[in-house]
Amino acid sequence: MKAAKLGGRALAALIAGALMLGTASAETLRLSHNVGDTTTWHKGAEKFGELLSEATDGEMTVRVFPNAQLSGGDQMKQAEMVGRGALDLVVTSAINVTPLVPEMAIFSLPYLYSSYDEVDATTQGAPGEMMAKILLEKGIVVLAWGENGFRELTNNVRPVKSPEDMKGLNMRVSGPMYIDVMNALGANPTQMQWSETLTALQQGVVDGQENPIGAVIIPQQVYEMQKYLTAWHYSYDPVFLGVSKAKWDSLDAETQEKMRKAAIEAMAWQRQISREATASGIDFLREKGMEVYEPTAEELQAFRAATKPAFDKWAGKVGPEIVKAFQSAIVGTN
Ligand code: X2X
């Protein structure tokens, strides 16, 4: 009897010990992104965490930090931090990585794409892999491509229907390529962190900004601060889910496989919810009181022609080999 009791205790202790060991070996990875916690970026990141935790029986969990908190509010610094292993994971958009990898500007060249099919032929095909190889050289393993989306223009001054309407507008932009695009249009661009932009719009420090409808404009309630939207589809911006190479290399092949699978599924879902929110978004924004203008094919052509100098300048920085790879994947869809 006594022996059996002791045995029971010993067993309980063993189990408790095993549980503690289990807890000790469980790992929480930190994931940084640079928009708010209502966005599809955040939802995609959370989904990744859920799937990874499920796949590893709770051995690996993910804590998501929005608004570039982990990089002191600097959205462009995140990629560099992941590259040197100071951050485990990131969801960020291509344009934010251009200070580290100028070639990443390829995706956002003005009017490179005119449909989601064209986008998918690059992000989900060989051109995406080509870019992932370049990021790997900087210490970032791209696990999957998601979507910020086609960036649309908002402002508080007037409806914009032509390049002339852009003249003199004070525009907040996120990165250097967009400065050149706005200058080509005769606007006055200022580079600013996204985390500071909503206040700047509210206070009238800038007249306008540009961002995708489903992923950012609606969830971040930009419609509360802006009157006019022009759906000019001038620049596409993908996001990707990346892990630091240092972290990746420390994982066994089986865990790597689980992580990649979780990322691919989470980003496919993130693309889908971003596109759905964009599709229903124009009606929603009109209901919220925005005046939405959808340019005609000729009007889009005028914006394309006016932004061509910025296209050419940045195509030069990206390099002909990459531009060609993207353009032939795009032509292949038509
Ligand atoms: O800052 C922006 O405009 C945003 C949220 O789209 C990016 O991160 C590029």
Side-chain angles (χ1 to χ4, degrees):
M1 227 12 223
K2 207 175 177 191
K5 230 179 180 176
L6 271 177
R9 263 193 214 146
L11 192 65
L14 257 177
I15 291 172
L19 279 175
M20 276 174 68
L21 264 178
T23 315
S25 68
E27 188 178 9
T28 301
L29 303 176
R30 297 190 311 163
L31 185 153
S32 175
H33 73 79
N34 56 270
V35 288
D37 62 7
T38 54
T39 60
T40 64
W41 300 32
H42 191 88
K43 289 179 180 167
E46 293 277 10
K47 171 73 94 191
F48 168 67
E50 284 160 28
L51 293 170
L52 182 62
S53 175
E54 246 171 64
T56 60
D57 295 320
E59 285 296 300
M60 238 174 208
T61 56
V62 174
R63 182 153 173 220
V64 180
F65 294 83
N67 297 315
Q69 283 168 37
L70 297 180
S71 55
D74 186 340
Q75 67 193 68
M76 299 215 165
K77 205 174 153 199
Q78 298 170 106
E80 176 260 318
M81 286 177 73
V82 173
R84 65 181 154 85
L87 273 175
D88 301 317
L89 293 154
V90 70
V91 170
T92 195
S93 89
I95 200 75
N96 288 324
V97 185
T98 55
L100 187 68
V101 181
E103 292 93 330
M104 286 291 278
I106 179 67
F107 295 101
S108 314
L109 293 178
Y111 293 102
L112 177 70
Y113 299 105
S114 49
S115 71
Y116 287 131
D117 281 349
E118 293 181 358
V119 166
D120 294 345
T122 60
T123 59
Q124 311 304 311
E129 282 164 25
M130 193 175 187
M131 301 316 291
K133 272 204 193 107
I134 299 176
L135 287 173
L136 187 60
E137 285 163 21
K138 302 285 177 184
I140 302 169
V141 178
V142 174
L143 294 170
W145 296 93
E147 183 151 292
N148 194 13
F150 283 99
R151 304 179 69 94
E152 314 296 12
L153 177 77
T154 71
N155 87 96
N156 261 340
V157 176
R158 56 180 164 260
V160 171
K161 302 181 179 178
S162 68
E164 291 68 50
D165 295 330
M166 290 298 291
K167 297 231 154 68
L169 290 185
N170 294 317
M171 293 296 305
R172 176 272 171 178
V173 295
S174 54
M177 192 191 69
Y178 293 134
I179 293 196
D180 291 331
V181 176
M182 291 298 162
N183 280 331
L185 292 166
N188 304 320
T190 310
Q191 188 171 337
M192 195 186 284
Q193 299 296 333
W194 176 249
S195 55
E196 289 162 12
T197 300
L198 293 172
T199 317
L201 290 170
Q202 212 152 22
Q203 296 178 345
V205 175
V206 287
D207 300 319
Q209 62 87 46
E210 41 71 60
N211 251 295
I213 291 178
V216 176
I217 289 182
I218 291 177
Q220 300 253 245
Q221 297 176 299
V222 175
Y223 53 85
E224 302 279 358
M225 295 141 215
Q226 297 273 272
K227 176 72 186 164
Y228 304 105
L229 184 142
T230 302
W232 63 351
H233 318 314
Y234 88 122
S235 173
Y236 178 80
D237 195 20
V239 297
F240 66 86
L241 174 46
V243 60
S244 84
K245 185 170 182 299
K247 173 56 66 185
W248 181 253
D249 288 344
S250 76
L251 305 173
D252 58 47
E254 197 191 330
T255 311
Q256 287 181 344
E257 181 56 30
K258 287 175 181 171
M259 183 178 273
R260 189 176 288 280
K261 203 163 160 260
I264 289 172
E265 191 177 334
M267 287 297 104
W269 178 76
Q270 188 275 342
R271 282 202 310 279
Q272 187 194 330
I273 61 169
S274 300
R275 286 178 191 185
E276 284 168 6
T278 298
S280 58
I282 291 195
D283 286 345
F284 177 87
L285 293 172
R286 285 190 171 126
E287 276 164 35
K288 290 287 176 188
M290 280 195 99
E291 201 176 291
V292 177
Y293 187 71
E294 298 179 82
T296 64
E298 295 79 63
E299 286 167 338
L300 289 178
Q301 191 48 45
F303 285 121
R304 179 196 285 263
T307 54
K308 177 102 186 349
F311 184 109
D312 292 342
K313 175 175 169 183
W314 282 85
K317 285 189 197 257
V318 165
E321 198 195 334
I322 294 173
V323 174
K324 209 168 147 227
F326 275 66
Q327 283 176 332
S328 40
I330 288 168
V331 168
T333 67
N334 293 309

